[in-house]
């Protein structure tokens, strides 16, 4: 059953949003991904946000750039957690997106990850779901062990070959 909605305002956000989807797939969490412009098709957006709960979704991951209304508007309508991903923008480097998403009014929180932080949004969504899913929690623990092992392998290689050889990868 789909538990996470992933929504972005433009297909230009796809490389970042795909990282969230990739993590959710790796952890065995079903999701549904779509593109909706809150400004250009507000009727479609409102239906998306209003129907999310009845679809059984527990979390929405929303990515947006510039004015970045999508995550906040999802949080205003959807009664469960919303994770916002601010997109890097050419004019202000994503700070505009970050500020728009993180500065929500009292009572309408949006959990916000780093600019272009798609992978962390996927991990955070999985962690939220894992509070009531012991099997998912075990998969998250295994994922954390994998990350630790990757760092240990890199450190061992660096110690073995030195930084100049290591940098040649």
């Amino acid at each position: 059953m789909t538990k996470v909605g992933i929504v972005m305002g433009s297909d230009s956000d796809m490389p970042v949003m795909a990282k969230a989807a990739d993590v959710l797939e790796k952890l065995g969490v079903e999701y549904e991904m779509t593109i909706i412009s809150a400004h250009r098709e507000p009727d479609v957006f409102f239906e998306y946000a209003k129907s999310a709960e009845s679809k059984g979704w527990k979390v929405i991951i929303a990515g947006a750039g510039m004015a970045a209304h999508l995550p906040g508007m999802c949080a205003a309508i959807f009664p469960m957690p919303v994770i916002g991903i601010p997109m890097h923008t050419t004019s202000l480097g994503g700070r505009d997106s970050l500020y728009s998403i993180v500065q929500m009014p009292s009572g309408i929180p949006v959990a916000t990850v780093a600019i272009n932080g798609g992978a962390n949004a996927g991990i955070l969504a999985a962690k939220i779901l894992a509070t009531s899913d012991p099997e998912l929690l075990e998969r998250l623990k295994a994922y954390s062990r994998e990350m630790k092992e990757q760092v240990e392998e890199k450190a061992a290689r660096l110690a073995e070959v030195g930084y100049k050889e290591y940098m040649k990868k």
Side-chain angles (χ1 to χ4, degrees):
M1 180 170 99
T2 303
K3 293 187 177 179
V4 178
I6 299 176
V7 62
M8 65 203 88
S10 169
D11 65 348
S12 64
D13 302 334
M14 188 65 72
V16 172
M17 302 308 284
K19 291 177 183 175
D22 290 344
V23 167
L24 292 172
E25 283 181 20
K26 181 175 178 73
L27 294 170
V29 176
E30 292 185 37
Y31 63 90
E32 180 179 306
M33 182 184 286
T34 193
I35 301 166
I36 301 173
S37 171
H39 296 108
R40 293 181 184 93
E41 46 186 6
D43 53 332
V44 174
F45 165 74
F46 280 110
E47 182 56 34
Y48 171 85
K50 284 181 184 179
S51 67
E53 182 182 7
S54 67
K55 292 178 182 175
W57 297 357
K58 304 298 181 197
V59 181
I60 290 177
I61 299 172
M66 300 176 77
H69 286 95
L70 199 56
M73 288 303 296
C74 284
I77 297 168
F78 181 64
M80 288 178 265
V82 174
I83 302 167
I85 305 175
M87 295 294 153
H88 184 274
T89 58
T90 54
S91 57
L92 297 172
R95 290 183 304 280
D96 47 345
S97 312
L98 174 65
Y99 294 155
S100 292
I101 296 171
V102 80
Q103 292 293 344
M104 292 300 297
S106 182
I108 313 293
V110 174
T112 309
V113 296
I115 295 167
N116 285 357
N120 272 353
I123 293 167
L124 181 55
K127 285 185 172 196
I128 291 167
L129 296 171
T131 62
S132 61
D133 184 338
E135 292 173 5
L136 177 56
L137 179 58
E138 289 308 310
R139 292 192 301 272
L140 273 164
K141 289 177 181 179
Y143 182 82
S144 292
R145 283 191 300 273
E146 284 177 33
M147 289 191 302
K148 178 182 183 231
E149 290 166 3
Q150 289 171 1
V151 172
E152 290 170 344
E153 288 169 10
K154 290 175 184 179
R157 182 169 184 273
L158 176 60
E160 179 183 326
V161 301
Y163 83 91
K164 289 181 183 177
E165 184 64 29
Y166 185 90
M167 296 299 293
K168 290 181 182 178
K169 279 194 197 182

